[in-house]
C-alpha cells in the first residue's frame, strides 16, 4: 500500500467522510500533475504550430509532431479520467467541471492550462503579488495571447488551401485574429470555409468574454479608487 492510500485510510478512520478523502486525493493529484500538463500544453501548441507553419518539412518530422500532439491529448484524457474517478461524483463531474470537459474536447483551449498553472504557482509561494483586479487583467491578457495564437493557427490551416480565401499568409491570420478578439471586425480578411467560420464564431465569443472581463474589472477598480478618495476626503471640503 502506498503512502497516499495509507493517508486516505487514516483520514477516513479519523472520521473524515469518504467525499472529503476523495477530494483530498484529487487535490494531491492536481498538484502533482499541474506542471506536467502545462508542459504538455506548450508541447501541443509547439507541435501544432510546426505542422501548420513549417512548409516543406520532411514527413518524419511531421509524423513526430503529430505523435507529440496525440500524446499531449492522451495525457489530458488520462488526467480527466483520473480526476473524474477520484471525485466520486459520477456523471455530475462533467457538469461541475464543464470547462475541463470543453478543454478536453477542443484542442485550441488547452494552452489555458498554462494560465491555471501560473495561478497555482503564485498561490503556492504565498499571497499573490498582484491585487485581484490586476490579476484578472494579467490572466485575461495571457489567455488572449495563447488563444489568439492558437486561433490564428487553426483558421490559417483551414483557409490557406481555399480557392477564394483572403487569408493567404499566417500574418493575415494573426491580423484577422487581433481584429476579431478586439471585436473590431474590419472585414478586409475573413474566413470562407465552414470550419474557418466556426472557429471565427468561437473567437468572437472569446473576444467578447475577455473584453468584458477586462473592462468590468477596470471599471470596478476605478469605482473603488473613487470611493476610497471620497471616504478619505475631510467633511465639508
Amino acid at each position: 500500500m502506498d503512502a497516499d492510500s495509507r493517508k486516505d485510510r487514516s483520514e477516513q478512520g479519523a472520521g473524515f467522510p469518504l467525499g472529503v478523502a476523495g477530494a483530498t486525493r484529487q487535490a494531491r493529484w492536481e498538484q502533482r500533475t499541474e506542471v506536467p500538463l502545462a508542459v504538455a500544453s506548450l508541447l501541443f501548441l509547439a507541435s501544432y504550430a510546426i505542422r501548420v507553419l513549417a512548409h516543406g518539412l520532411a514527413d518524419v518530422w511531421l509524423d513526430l509532431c503529430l505523435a507529440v500532439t496525440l500524446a499531449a491529448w492522451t495525457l489530458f484524457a488520462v488526467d480527466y479520467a483520473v480526476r473524474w474517478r477520484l471525485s466520486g461524483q459520477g456523471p455530475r463531474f462533467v457538469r461541475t467541471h464543464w470547462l475541463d470537459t470543453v478543454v478536453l474536447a477542443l484542442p485550441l483551449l488547452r494552452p489555458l492550462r498554462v494560465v491555471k498553472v501560473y495561478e497555482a504557482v503564485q498561490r503556492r509561494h504565498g499571497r499573490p503579488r498582484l491585487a485581484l483586479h490586476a490579476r484578472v487583467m494579467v490572466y485575461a491578457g495571457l489567455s488572449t495571447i495563447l488563444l489568439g495564437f492558437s486561433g490564428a493557427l487553426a483558421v490559417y490551416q483551414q483557409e490557406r488551401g481555399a480557392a477564394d480565401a483572403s487569408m493567404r499568409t499566417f500574418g493575415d491570420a494573426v491580423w484577422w485574429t487581433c481584429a476579431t478578439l478586439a471585436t473590431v471586425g474590419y472585414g478586409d480578411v475573413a474566413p470562407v470555409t465552414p470550419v474557418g467560420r466556426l472557429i471565427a464564431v468561437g473567437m468572437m465569443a472569446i473576444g467578447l468574454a475577455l473584453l468584458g472581463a477586462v473592462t468590468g474589472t477596470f471599471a470596478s477598480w476605478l469605482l473603488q479608487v473613487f470611493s476610497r478618495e471620497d471616504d478619505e476626503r475631510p467633511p465639508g471640503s
Side-chain angles (χ1 to χ4, degrees):
M1 183 182 299
D2 59 12
D4 288 345
S5 299
R6 290 195 298 269
K7 188 173 181 180
D8 294 336
R9 287 181 178 272
S10 64
E11 289 173 349
Q12 295 178 28
F16 288 97
L18 181 61
V20 174
T24 303
R25 293 197 304 270
Q26 183 178 350
R28 287 200 296 267
W29 170 266
E30 292 178 352
Q31 183 177 356
R32 292 174 178 176
T33 57
E34 60 187 14
V35 174
L37 289 176
V39 173
S41 299
L42 293 176
L43 289 176
F44 171 86
L45 187 59
S47 61
Y48 181 53
I50 291 173
R51 292 183 60 212
V52 174
L53 300 178
H55 304 291
L57 196 64
D59 291 341
V60 62
W61 294 110
L62 292 176
D63 294 339
L64 178 61
C65 291
L66 179 60
V68 171
T69 302
L70 294 177
W73 183 88
T74 302
L75 286 177
F76 277 95
V78 171
D79 171 69
Y80 186 85
V82 170
R83 288 191 294 114
W84 189 343
R85 177 69 178 83
L86 293 177
S87 69
Q89 296 179 350
R92 192 165 63 90
F93 178 85
V94 179
R95 298 194 303 271
T96 57
H97 295 76
W98 62 270
L99 181 59
D100 293 327
T101 306
V102 173
V103 168
L104 180 64
L106 298 178
L108 295 181
L109 299 181
R110 285 172 203 155
L112 287 179
R113 295 287 309 199
V114 179
V115 181
K116 183 178 180 180
V117 170
Y118 178 78
E119 167 72 9
V121 171
Q122 291 292 317
R123 291 188 177 279
R124 186 177 299 175
H125 286 81
R127 185 176 180 180
R129 299 177 181 178
L130 299 177
L132 176 61
H133 300 93
R135 282 161 52 205
V136 170
M137 288 186 282
V138 169
Y139 298 151
L142 289 175
S143 301
T144 302
I145 294 173
L146 291 170
L147 292 174
F149 183 64
S150 301
L153 288 172
V155 76
Y156 176 60
Q157 184 183 29
Q158 299 298 323
E159 295 294 312
R160 62 183 177 183
D164 53 347
S166 58
M167 201 175 299
R168 298 296 183 180
T169 65
F170 182 65
D172 294 336
V174 172
W175 168 252
W176 169 84
T177 301
C178 293
T180 302
L181 288 176
T183 67
V184 176
Y186 287 109
D188 54 341
V189 179
V192 295
T193 63
V195 177
R197 289 177 174 175
L198 183 61
I199 295 172
V201 172
M203 297 293 287
M204 293 173 191
I206 292 171
L208 288 173
L210 292 174
L211 184 62
V214 173
T215 304
T217 303
F218 184 69
S220 177
W221 174 75
L222 287 178
L223 288 175
Q224 287 189 7
V225 171
F226 295 150
S227 177
R228 190 181 305 117
E229 290 179 353
D230 291 339
D231 293 339
E232 294 175 353
R233 185 177 303 169
S237 59

